[in-house]
């Protein structure tokens, strides 16, 4: 009932920038936390950044100062501005939303299918 669609991935050179977007659609009553996760080749999936409905953010130490997560609650969309990209940022980036489809049901996690970010010369 909730679909997440990521966009904005691609190939960039080290030091470059990308802006990822994730739009949630479907039967949505409320979204608590939205976050970005990534999985690099040969590594486990890790939390990159998250943001609450009130705007409180959390970042992985490896991206602090370089990445900025934001959201537009009216559009049910979360963004990840990635600056000063490094080769180690190369990964599939997944959007996550903790949401409920009705006011009286529990919050659940929903996931996008991912968008590939490649940082290479």
């Amino acid at each position: 009932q909730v679909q997440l669609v990521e966009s904005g991935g691609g190939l960039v050179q080290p030091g470059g920038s990308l802006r990822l977007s994730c739009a949630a659609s479907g039967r949505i009553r409320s979204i608590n936390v939205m976050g970005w996760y990534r999985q690099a080749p040969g590594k486990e999936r890790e939390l990159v950044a998250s943001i609450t409905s009130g705007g409180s953010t959390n970042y992985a130490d490896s991206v602090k100062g370089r990445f900025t997560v934001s959201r537009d609650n009216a559009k049910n969309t979360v963004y990840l501005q990635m600056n000063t990209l490094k080769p180690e940022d190369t990964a599939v980036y997944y959007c996550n939303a903790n949401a409920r489809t009705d006011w009286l049901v529990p919050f659940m996690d929903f996931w996008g299918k991912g968008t590939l970010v490649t940082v290479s010369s």
Side-chain angles (χ1 to χ4, degrees), residues 10-18 38-43 46 62-63 66-67 82-93 116-121:
L11 174 64
V12 295
Q13 293 185 327
S17 299
L18 281 176
R38 69 185 181 188
Q39 187 165 24
K43 296 184 178 180
E46 64 174 346
S62 60
V63 306
R66 300 188 297 119
F67 291 10
M82 304 185 293
N83 298 326
T84 319
L85 283 161
K86 304 175 181 179
E88 49 263 46
D89 295 318
T90 296
V92 176
Y93 285 71
L116 178 62
V117 172
T118 302
V119 184
S120 176
S121 299

Side-chain angles (χ1 to χ4, degrees), residues 1-25:
Q1 290 186 297
V2 178
Q3 296 82 42
L4 302 177
V5 179
E6 303 101 331
S7 62
L11 174 64
V12 295
Q13 293 185 327
S17 299
L18 281 176
R19 182 173 181 261
L20 305 183
S21 299
C22 173
S25 62

Side-chain angles (χ1 to χ4, degrees), residues 4-120:
L4 302 177
V5 179
E6 303 101 331
S7 62
L11 174 64
V12 295
Q13 293 185 327
S17 299
L18 281 176
R19 182 173 181 261
L20 305 183
S21 299
C22 173
S25 62
R27 183 178 171 86
I28 302 170
R29 291 293 178 265
S30 180
I31 302 177
N32 183 6
V33 180
M34 300 188 80
W36 290 94
Y37 292 72
R38 69 185 181 188
Q39 187 165 24
K43 296 184 178 180
E44 297 181 352
R45 185 178 299 189
E46 64 174 346
L47 175 68
V48 178
S50 64
I51 183 169
T52 69
S53 59
S56 180
T57 59
N58 184 46
Y59 296 93
D61 288 340
S62 60
V63 306
K64 287 181 179 178
R66 300 188 297 119
F67 291 10
T68 302
V69 64
S70 60
R71 65 190 284 176
D72 186 335
N73 291 330
K75 297 181 179 180
N76 289 327
T77 299
V78 63
Y79 307 92
L80 186 67
Q81 179 65 48
M82 304 185 293
N83 298 326
T84 319
L85 283 161
K86 304 175 181 179
E88 49 263 46
D89 295 318
T90 296
V92 176
Y93 285 71
Y94 298 91
C95 179
N96 169 266
N98 187 248
R100 57 184 175 185
T101 57
D102 206 345
W103 296 113
L104 300 180
V105 303
F107 283 91
M108 298 185 295
D109 281 326
F110 299 88
W111 293 88
K113 66 179 181 62
T115 185
L116 178 62
V117 172
T118 302
V119 184
S120 176

